[in-house]
Every structure is written in structure tokens, then in C-alpha cells.
Amino acid sequence: MSHMLTKKLPPVQSVSFLVSRRASQLSRQRYDVIVVGGGHAGTEAAAAAARIGAETLLVTQKIQTIGALSCNPSLGGIGKGHLVREVDALDGLCGRAGDWAGIHFSVLNRSKGPAVWGPRAQLDRQRYREFIQAELLSTPRLKVLEGSVEELLVSDPNPAEPGRHRVAGIRLANGSQLISASSVVLTTGTFLSGSLFVGQTLSPGGRMGDAPSSSGLTHTLRDRLGLRVGRLRTGTPPRLLKDSVDLSLTKLHPPDRQPTPFSFMNTHTRCKPAEQLPCYLTYTTPGVERVVRESLHLNCHIQQDAKGPRYCPSIESRVLRFPGRSHQVWLEPEGLTSDLLYPQGLSMTMPPDVQLRLIREIPPLHRAEIHTPGYGVQYDYVCPTQLSPALQVKNTQGLFLAGQINGTTGYEEAAAQGLWAGVNAARRALSQPPAALSRTESYIGVLVDDLVSRGVTEPYRMFTSRAEFRTSLRPDNADLRLTMKGFELGCVSAVRHHEAVRVRCSLQNAIAALQALTMSSTSWKKKLPGISMSENKNQALSGMDLLQYKDVSFEMLASVFPESLAPYMEFSQRLKIEAVYKPHCDQNKSEIKKIQSEENMSLPQDIDYFTLSVSLSQEVREILDRFRPTTLGAATRLEGMTPAAIANLFKYVVLTRRQESMMSGKQADNEEERGEEPCKRNASLPQ
């Protein structure tokens, strides 16, 4: 039976005594995996690598900011909540941290089907940071070092593996200290050549109050490894003093009465239902647009060419793109005891005095005071088509990238990439083959495949619409889809695996019990006289069939058949969802099998597409050479690929497989002729 985590967290002041502040304090100078960066991607990567069994080092510039919520104090949402549930199903941190730190829980999109529901929570910043730090510091095989990385150590590649370079470790800044590793995971966030913008003021950095990252890292990636690098931008709004806001002029938005936990291991959240805090909704006015337009000449960030997040734009971008409209502004609490409000929808980079003028054009904020001004960030990212599905750089053995360095935006996208990069970095270090997640089995698979197959032209955000099989990839069944696989990979604990097995067996037994309850529609009407169903149906209906009706719940069926169904009451909602989506999932099975078969058809990474003796246009050859898809399935999703090109590639893969099979068969025949059949060599058969 799942329960609420009751971890005793160390006080945040004591965290600094549990890590190393100098490399000389480390017990070793070689690790299996080194993770650079302590944000959402880095913390998940480090924890996952350690769970796999790798000796892991997490290097971060500032101990106190490990697990910090740099922007919005929230987790989850539409599409993003799916990622949180999947990270949790693989024993990641952010779901349990969200349950610990959440102060306002709600499920978005409830007016639509459960497949696209978006679990979301407002978070207490301090609680979230404390939880993540406590988890990391209690993880076996994981060491944390406060420091800055100057550059990567690059050596000659292993000739037995693809790639032109090999990463052998890191060099720390302000000294010649070298730390070697088999795998390195870079999770630099917005710090890779980051620049901060406030009005016309520009300064180096990736987050206000933190030191900028070393330029040597960018040099290594771009000049030494030859990676294609682009530039993106993002921003954050000013933080407002809560007491200066007239909340009576806003629309109150209470949380759900009963919080829905992110983690499959929890049935309750730390914050009790009555302790949750509300959010508040207000709107911009024509005065906001006027201030934006009058101050454009003072705002150099908005004039830059770097692409910003389309789905979380600054107020300047929204006004310029949609003139004359009123825009939503959500006032969100930053913690149970915090005196600050986060105005979601008001990211801005104009001078601080102009920011104050702008926010006071909104009625509830007419006397608002700014605690911290908003600012913009520009940073480098590595074009993610240069990565394999394991999130390893194709031309550099042992180098993995995760988070905003891959062109994504959002905590959830970063956490998902971090976990998967950490898993594969550890597997490589331990001489295990890379692991893959298909887009048919997870949103993490969709995320990774989109990045490595299609690349990005703007910060990538997850939506449910990106998944072809979203009726199968639901928030409620992430444990059934991923926990068993995670256990096989070694990143899921025995405790979680045991719970997932219990849940799976219970659901299977409950579905069998429902399917065993079979009778005519007339008989069902007698049992449940209040339901709306036609009595003209001649075929027999099972309890599973009946659950597909909107006005039929599992509780209703259990009240009629308590002996067979009452033991499964804890799964009532999950069983209802399973029944509703069963017809859709059954229809998808053939298409899923087709995609999975295509993904099993690998394309050689050293193939010369320009000389390949296959009927392909020059444009298609250029696309294949640029993106170098690892499988036929990945090739089908490249923009510009034609059905004819895919068909010809398919023929090529089949022919190549057939030739390889014939060659291996001839080799076996030759060995047999020499009396050297492998399975009989030096063996004596029982008499």
C-alpha cells in the first residue's frame, strides 16, 4: 500500500557541511560519471546515475542553489505533468519533491478526457530546494562538489566506438585540478555563455545573483568538438510584495479540494487540503500596452534576434504580437510563509522604474511594490540533432547533454532529459549498452525523439498534442508503462518495484473480475436502474464494457457486486479510465507495432548518404546527412522526408540485414567445416 513520504530533512544551513567545497577534499579523483550543474536536469541525472550503480560526482557553482526554482514556483501542467509522472515512475526526484513542497494542487484540463489531464502544483520554493538537497545528500555513491568547470578533458576516441573525440573528465576553474570520468553529463541551463538583460544594462550570467559560467566550456563545445551552437532567450517577471497588492480586485482561484499527488508512492501530499493557498487572476489594461511601446527604445533584450519561448512569452512580446488585447496575469504564492507573489504572464526586461510603472497600470497592482525586478537571459544551446537517442553527443564518446543546453524550456523537460542522460551515462561507464525509450511508450520518448530527430528553432515545450498515442500515454498509467523497465535498467528501487508489481497485479485481477461479470443490457438495467443505456443491444455486456458509460462508476458496480469488486476500491478511478480508453488503445496497437518495428531498423551512423546506391533526391540526402537518424523510425519523422524516400530506405535496411545474415551463415558453415562449430568446441556430450 502506498503512503506519504515522511522524510526528515536536514536544515538548509547544514547542507554546506555535507558536501566538498574543494576538489582536494574529494576521496577520489576519478568517477564513473560527472554531472555539471545542479538544476532540475543535473539533480535528476546525478541521482539516476548513482541509482544505476555508478560512482557519481555532481559539480555545481553554489551549494545553496541546488534544486532552486529559478523562475515559476510551480511544477506540472498540461503535457508537463505527464513528464513529472514518468520521471517519478522511473524513481526520479521531482514528483516526490512536488508532493513535499506543494501548496496549491490542481488538475488542469478536467473538462477533457483523463488522457490529457495536467497534474500541477504551486510550490514552496524553500521546501522544494530542501527536499532535493536532502535526497541528493543521502544518495549512496553520489558526491557533491562546489566549484566551476573550466573545460572538458578531450582525448582520442576509442576506435571500437563511433565518434571523433572522447571526453575523459573535467578541469576545474581557478586551478589545474583535473577530475577524470568515463562519462560527463552537461546540464548548464542558461549559464552557457549566458547574458543578463535589464533595460539597456547587459552583464554576464545565467541567473541573477550567481556567477557566470566559464567561457572555456563554450570554447570546448564549439571549437574543440565542432558542435553547432545556437542562441536562445528567456525571461522572468518581477517578484511583488504580497501586502502591496489589492487581492480584492482579483478573481480567486482555489486549489482542488483533494490534492492529487504526483508520485505513485504517495497517497497524500505534505500540505493538508485545508492548508493550501489560492491563486489569483487579473488582466492587463491598455495602459500596460502603452508603457511597453513607450519604453521599447530602453529594452535591448526584446530587440535581439535570439528566439524566446513562444508559449511563455514576455509581456513585451505578447503586446507586440497581439496588440489591443487583454492578457491574463496569474498572481501565485511563492511559499506558505513567503511575503512574495509571482506574477505569471508579466515576464519583462525593461528598466526597473519602467517595470514599476507597467505593473501599476493593472488595477489590483496599482500600489504594488517590486521586491526583485524582472530580467531577461540569453544563452547558448547545442543543436540537439547532434545527439543520439541516449542523449550522447554523436561525435564525442562519453559526453551527454540534458536540459536547456538542448534547446528546451521548463523544469519538467529538463528533469526528464536529466534522468535519461544520467541513466545512459552510467550504463556507458559500467560497459552496458545504451537504453532507449520509444515515443510509443512514453512522453520522455516523445521529447527525446523530437529533439534528436527534428531539432529546435525555439525553446521546446512539451504538449500532449506532440504524442501520437496520448490515449495510451496517460498520467495515471506511467507506472505500468515504465517502472518495470526502470527496474530492469537498475534505476528503480526494489521498494518501488514491489509497489508497481502489486498495483499491476491488482489491476489485472480487477479487470478480470469486471470482464467475468457478463449479462444482457436488460439484466444490467435491472441491477442499475439509474443508468442510461439502450435495452435493444443483443450482445452481452461485461462490467468493463459498462464502465465505458459516462454515468457508470466503479463504485456503483462494487455496490452491486461487493464480493468480487470491493477489494479493488483503491483503484476505482484508474479502472474507470482503463475502461474508457480500452477501445482506443486496442485500435492503436497495430500502429504502435508498426512504429516499433521501424524503430528496430537501425541505420549505420557511418553511412555516406551522398554515395548510397539508393534512389534518393539530393534534398533528402542532405537531410539524412545533416540529422543522421539512428533508426528508420527516426528518419520518417524528419521534415522533408518523402514516402518514396522512406520506402527506398526500408528496402535498403532489409537488403543489408539479409546480406549480413547470409555472411554470418557462411562464416558459421566455414567454422563447421574446420570442426570449429562454436557450440560444440571443447564440449563433451552426455552418453
Side-chain angles (χ1 to χ4, degrees):
M1 183 77 175
S2 56
H3 55 84
M4 178 58 206
L5 183 71
T6 54
K7 175 182 285 295
K8 184 177 181 181
L9 301 181
V12 71
Q13 294 90 344
S14 70
V15 168
S16 59
F17 298 107
L18 302 176
V19 299
S20 297
R21 291 186 179 274
R22 294 190 302 273
S24 60
Q25 296 175 341
L26 294 174
S27 58
R28 58 201 304 158
Q29 295 302 307
R30 175 171 180 80
Y31 290 83
D32 296 321
V33 176
I34 295 176
V35 179
V36 180
H40 297 272
T43 52
E44 294 288 357
R51 291 199 303 274
I52 290 285
E55 293 294 335
T56 305
L57 176 68
L58 172 63
V59 184
T60 182
Q61 290 195 85
K62 191 183 293 186
I63 295 166
Q64 290 82 359
T65 58
I66 292 176
L69 300 165
S70 300
C71 197
N72 193 3
S74 69
L75 187 71
I78 299 172
K80 291 172 173 284
H82 290 67
L83 290 175
V84 176
R85 297 279 277 178
E86 291 185 355
V87 168
D88 179 74
L90 291 168
D91 231 352
L93 308 178
C94 64
R96 289 180 291 120
D99 291 345
W100 180 269
I103 56 176
H104 173 115
F105 291 85
S106 59
V107 176
L108 308 183
N109 234 17
R110 277 196 185 271
S111 61
K112 299 184 179 180
V116 294
W117 285 355
R120 186 180 186 275
Q122 291 297 132
L123 305 175
D124 184 302
R125 289 186 186 274
Q126 182 174 333
R127 283 186 175 184
Y128 190 89
R129 187 174 65 248
E130 289 176 353
F131 185 95
I132 294 294
Q133 292 176 1
E135 280 287 314
L136 291 181
L137 296 171
S138 62
T139 299
R141 295 180 294 276
L142 175 58
K143 188 74 174 178
V144 180
L145 171 66
E146 186 177 78
S148 182
V149 175
E150 174 68 29
E151 63 177 342
L152 300 175
L153 304 180
V154 181
S155 63
D156 293 332
N158 179 350
E161 300 177 22
R164 299 195 299 271
H165 314 279
R166 179 172 65 89
V167 163
I170 60 172
R171 183 193 300 274
L172 296 176
N174 302 322
S176 59
Q177 182 69 51
L178 308 181
I179 306 176
S180 59
S182 300
S183 300
V184 175
V185 185
L186 291 185
T187 66
T188 52
T190 58
F191 283 84
L192 194 63
S193 295
S195 300
L196 302 177
F197 292 80
V198 181
Q200 295 179 300
T201 302
L202 170 65
S203 59
R207 179 171 54 204
M208 195 68 75
D210 289 339
S213 63
S214 169
S215 59
L217 207 51
T218 301
H219 170 77
T220 304
L221 295 174
R222 184 167 48 205
D223 301 329
R224 181 76 189 276
L225 301 181
L227 297 178
R228 298 191 308 276
V229 175
R231 194 82 172 155
L232 294 172
R233 72 182 184 196
T234 187
T236 190
R239 308 308 195 261
L240 308 179
L241 292 173
K242 185 175 182 179
D243 290 343
S244 68
V245 177
D246 189 350
L247 295 175
S248 66
L249 299 179
T250 65
K251 182 178 180 182
L252 182 73
H253 272 256
D256 290 349
R257 291 183 177 179
Q258 187 60 49
T260 300
F262 287 111
S263 178
F264 289 98
M265 298 300 287
N266 295 334
T267 56
H268 301 86
T269 61
R270 182 189 181 191
C271 186
K272 297 178 182 178
E275 296 173 346
Q276 295 185 93
L277 300 180
C279 294
Y280 307 89
L281 177 63
T282 187
Y283 295 87
T284 61
T285 63
V288 169
E289 182 169 341
R290 184 182 68 254
V291 173
V292 168
R293 294 189 180 279
E294 290 175 354
S295 62
L296 285 178
H297 65 289
L298 301 173
N299 193 336
C300 60
H301 181 67
I302 198 67
Q303 299 171 21
Q304 301 291 319
D305 293 331
K307 287 276 190 177
R310 181 192 303 187
Y311 304 104
C312 185
S314 66
I315 188 61
E316 297 99 325
S317 297
R318 295 166 82 183
V319 163
L320 295 176
R321 188 176 178 189
F322 304 106
R325 293 190 186 180
S326 180
H327 303 281
Q328 287 186 342
V329 177
W330 289 94
L331 303 177
E332 302 170 340
E334 296 218 339
L336 284 176
T337 60
S338 174
D339 58 355
L340 301 180
L341 288 175
Y342 179 95
Q344 181 182 310
L346 286 183
S347 291
M348 58 183 75
T349 56
M350 56 193 66
D353 60 319
V354 182
Q355 293 186 27
L356 185 62
R357 279 176 49 206
L358 184 147
I359 66 171
R360 288 186 172 180
E361 292 291 338
I362 300 173
L365 310 181
H366 67 286
R367 294 180 180 173
E369 295 292 340
I370 293 178
H371 177 269
T372 309
Y375 61 92
V377 189
Q378 289 190 17
Y379 56 96
D380 284 347
Y381 77 100
V382 174
C383 301
T385 53
Q386 300 166 103
L387 307 180
S388 73
L391 295 180
Q392 181 178 211
V393 176
K394 291 178 182 177
N395 77 352
T396 306
Q397 300 166 4
L399 179 59
F400 297 79
L401 309 182
Q404 285 178 284
I405 193 174
N406 290 338
T408 62
T409 181
Y411 305 147
E412 304 81 2
E413 290 85 351
Q417 293 172 73
L419 183 144
W420 202 239
V423 165
N424 279 297
R427 289 179 65 82
R428 183 186 187 281
L430 300 176
S431 301
Q432 297 172 356
L437 278 177
S438 166
R439 63 188 299 123
T440 64
E441 63 181 331
S442 67
Y443 273 83
I444 299 177
V446 172
L447 168 65
V448 171
D449 185 65
D450 282 351
L451 292 176
V452 304
S453 297
R454 302 173 182 176
V456 300
T457 56
E458 61 187 15
Y460 179 102
R461 182 204 191 280
M462 178 53 69
F463 289 104
T464 54
S465 58
R466 297 189 188 274
E468 300 90 332
F469 304 107
R470 51 188 172 273
T471 57
S472 301
L473 310 182
R474 307 186 305 272
D476 66 278
N477 67 1
D479 56 341
L480 301 182
R481 292 185 279 113
L482 297 176
T483 299
M484 312 303 170
K485 182 167 188 171
F487 185 70
E488 293 173 0
L489 295 174
C491 69
V492 168
S493 69
V495 173
R496 182 180 290 269
H497 177 254
H498 182 271
E499 171 65 8
V501 170
R502 182 191 75 85
V503 170
R504 182 182 63 182
C505 292
S506 297
L507 288 172
Q508 289 174 345
N509 292 338
I511 291 172
L514 285 165
Q515 290 174 333
L517 298 172
T518 303
M519 59 186 75
S520 66
S521 57
T522 303
S523 299
W524 278 116
K525 285 284 286 184
K526 291 178 180 178
K527 293 282 187 181
L528 300 167
I531 63 174
S532 302
M533 65 180 299
S534 172
E535 297 185 17
N536 297 326
K537 292 187 176 181
N538 295 322
Q539 74 273 22
L541 298 175
S542 70
M544 201 67 174
D545 295 326
L546 214 67
L547 266 185
Q548 295 173 18
Y549 286 82
K550 187 176 181 179
D551 55 347
V552 177
S553 67
F554 182 81
E555 288 84 354
M556 292 170 60
L557 296 179
S559 67
V560 179
F561 303 99
E563 187 173 329
S564 55
L565 299 182
Y568 309 109
M569 284 298 296
E570 67 172 297
F571 305 106
S572 59
Q573 185 182 59
R574 294 188 66 162
L575 289 165
K576 173 69 175 180
I577 295 173
E578 287 286 344
V580 168
Y581 283 106
K582 186 178 184 302
H584 303 277
C585 294
D586 290 344
Q587 290 176 4
N588 287 340
K589 284 181 179 178
S590 60
E591 186 65 23
I592 289 175
K593 286 181 180 178
K594 177 186 175 185
I595 290 180
Q596 288 176 339
S597 65
E598 291 175 344
E599 289 178 340
N600 289 331
M601 294 184 176
S602 60
L603 296 173
Q605 287 303 287
D606 58 353
I607 189 172
D608 185 350
Y609 286 105
F610 292 107
T611 61
L612 190 66
S613 58
V614 175
S615 179
L616 299 172
S617 69
Q618 184 65 20
E619 180 185 3
V620 166
R621 292 178 188 272
E622 291 174 357
I623 292 171
L624 290 169
D625 182 69
R626 180 184 178 189
F627 291 97
R628 308 205 70 82
T630 56
T631 66
L632 183 66
T636 64
R637 293 183 285 277
L638 293 177
E639 187 173 351
M641 291 295 293
T642 64
I646 295 300
N648 290 330
L649 268 182
F650 174 79
K651 293 176 184 177
Y652 166 77
V653 173
V654 171
L655 179 62
T656 302
R657 280 186 171 183
R658 188 178 301 151
Q659 291 173 342
E660 290 176 350
S661 177
M662 292 174 62
M663 289 295 294
S664 62
K666 288 182 179 179
Q667 188 175 9
D669 291 342
N670 291 336
E671 289 179 348
E672 187 175 0
E673 289 176 5
R674 295 194 303 267
E676 295 179 351
E677 188 174 351
C679 64
K680 294 183 179 180
R681 192 179 302 136
N682 298 327
S684 59
L685 296 176
Q687 300 298 315

